Amino acid sequence: MGLQGFERRLERFVEGTFARVFRSGLQPIEIGRRLAREIDLRRAVAPRGVLAPNAFKVLLSSTDRARFEPIEEELVKELVQVAKDHASQEGYTLLGPVSVEIATDASLRPGTLLVAGNMVPEEGVASVTLPDGRRVLLEGGTLSIGRLPECDLAVADPNVSRHHAEVRRAADGNWVVVDVGSTNGTRVNGQRIGGSHQLQSGDEITVGSTNLRFEVSSAGQEPAREAAQSGPHEEARSGHPAAAPGTGRHGGPPDLGVPGAT
């Protein structure tokens, strides 16, 4: 059903302007069939059911890539749907969202293609929760923390250094907190760290007199926020944290309610 729908949609799409281009040679439906076959070949039985690939790379010859270029964006969307439909029909479990990348392999002859599928788990959404319940989503590679307004997370705490600490994503994908030479040091769960410290979901990061909670939740899942239950909650993006009225990255640091804040 999925491949039939894919074929009908692509046939309608390539009518008219692109009809002449696809009269011969590699056809879109062949890519869809190969992708479905790759899902079946790569499936694996696991305790939670039959797992299947969700990340695919389609390699085409230079000639075929040029032919498909005018409809490549639409083709990728349709191939993503083919993978979803096929997995659903076969009862397969996908570990994360479906992605399809089309690339060129100069060693391939026109009319031939390669499809590689991998199981890629869904990445968790990392965040830092402020004492007032606001949450900064860590979408970039680094979140700088300090007293200066230009820090990604500006903390109005006299015990916090101008440039105090950074939360970074390491090369292995894990998140770490790094003290960048602060005067009073950085603590994780009450223990002072030296240099870099790998974070676990639920860890409490202390800078000066301010406690921040690091959390990682599944995409689409709200992390637990004990502090947020006491009042309104805002989400902020890394680099542009939500700020109290009249404050913020470009109008002064967010006021975290620390006495003596400047």
Side-chain angles (χ1 to χ4, degrees), residues 69-83:
E69 186 176 5
I71 65 164
E72 186 169 301
E73 183 177 350
E74 185 69 22
L75 178 60
V76 166
K77 292 178 182 178
E78 293 294 344
L79 290 172
V80 167
Q81 193 60 49
V82 165

Side-chain angles (χ1 to χ4, degrees), residues 78-127:
E78 293 294 344
L79 290 172
V80 167
Q81 193 60 49
V82 165
K84 291 179 179 178
D85 291 346
H86 188 69
S88 177
Q89 290 163 16
E90 298 298 325
Y92 298 154
T93 297
L94 302 177
L95 296 179
V98 176
S99 64
V100 176
E101 177 190 359
I102 297 179
T104 302
D105 185 335
S107 67
L108 291 176
R109 301 189 309 274
T112 61
L113 72 152
L114 295 173
V115 177
N118 291 292
M119 299 179 193
V120 180
E122 186 173 30
E123 291 187 359
V125 178
S127 64

Side-chain angles (χ1 to χ4, degrees), residues 3 6 27-37 79 82:
L3 281 174
F6 167 75
Q27 299 296 307
I29 187 62
E30 295 177 58
I31 303 176
R33 289 183 182 132
R34 186 66 65 86
L35 187 142
R37 181 185 176 194
L79 290 172
V82 165

Side-chain angles (χ1 to χ4, degrees), residues 171-196:
D172 60 4
N174 291 308
W175 289 94
V176 298
V177 61
V178 181
D179 186 275
V180 292
S182 68
T183 301
N184 295 319
T186 300
R187 290 175 169 77
V188 176
N189 300 326
Q191 300 296 315
R192 185 161 180 162
I193 66 171
S196 175

Side-chain angles (χ1 to χ4, degrees), residues 2-261:
L3 281 174
Q4 292 174 354
F6 167 75
E7 186 172 17
R8 287 195 298 269
R9 290 191 299 271
L10 263 296
E11 282 178 351
R12 289 196 298 269
F13 188 75
V14 299
E15 285 176 355
T17 306
F18 304 118
R20 184 177 302 173
V21 177
F22 293 99
R23 282 179 182 170
S24 61
L26 183 65
Q27 299 296 307
I29 187 62
E30 295 177 58
I31 303 176
R33 289 183 182 132
R34 186 66 65 86
L35 187 142
R37 181 185 176 194
E38 178 71 5
I39 293 175
D40 292 334
L41 290 174
R42 296 277 184 174
R43 70 187 188 276
V45 178
R48 58 182 292 185
V50 180
L51 304 180
N54 60 298
F56 303 91
K57 188 166 187 177
V58 178
L59 295 177
L60 304 176
S61 68
S62 301
T63 300
D64 288 327
R65 182 76 187 282
R67 289 175 60 240
F68 281 101
E69 186 176 5
I71 65 164
E72 186 169 301
E73 183 177 350
E74 185 69 22
L75 178 60
V76 166
K77 292 178 182 178
E78 293 294 344
L79 290 172
V80 167
Q81 193 60 49
V82 165
K84 291 179 179 178
D85 291 346
H86 188 69
S88 177
Q89 290 163 16
E90 298 298 325
Y92 298 154
T93 297
L94 302 177
L95 296 179
V98 176
S99 64
V100 176
E101 177 190 359
I102 297 179
T104 302
D105 185 335
S107 67
L108 291 176
R109 301 189 309 274
T112 61
L113 72 152
L114 295 173
V115 177
N118 291 292
M119 299 179 193
V120 180
E122 186 173 30
E123 291 187 359
V125 178
S127 64
V128 171
T129 302
L130 282 59
D132 61 5
R134 286 175 291 140
R135 190 161 58 101
V136 180
L137 301 183
L138 303 178
E139 295 185 318
T142 301
L143 177 78
S144 60
I145 304 170
R147 206 172 65 247
L148 291 180
E150 56 262 35
C151 290
D152 296 322
L153 181 55
V155 182
D157 180 343
N159 295 312
V160 171
S161 298
R162 290 177 296 175
H163 294 286
H164 195 107
E166 292 181 350
V167 177
R168 305 172 183 167
R169 187 151 204 173
D172 60 4
N174 291 308
W175 289 94
V176 298
V177 61
V178 181
D179 186 275
V180 292
S182 68
T183 301
N184 295 319
T186 300
R187 290 175 169 77
V188 176
N189 300 326
Q191 300 296 315
R192 185 161 180 162
I193 66 171
S196 175
H197 179 90
Q198 183 171 320
L199 293 168
Q200 302 294 329
S201 184
D203 281 350
E204 184 176 75
I205 303 169
T206 302
V207 292
S209 303
T210 303
N211 295 325
L212 309 169
R213 181 178 293 276
F214 173 80
E215 294 177 320
V216 178
S217 62
S218 299
Q221 174 189 350
E222 287 289 324
R225 295 185 302 275
E226 296 176 2
Q229 296 176 5
S230 61
H233 165 256
E234 293 183 7
E235 278 190 5
R237 303 286 172 175
S238 174
H240 300 279
T247 63
R249 193 180 186 195
H250 300 292
D255 184 358
L256 302 187
V258 180

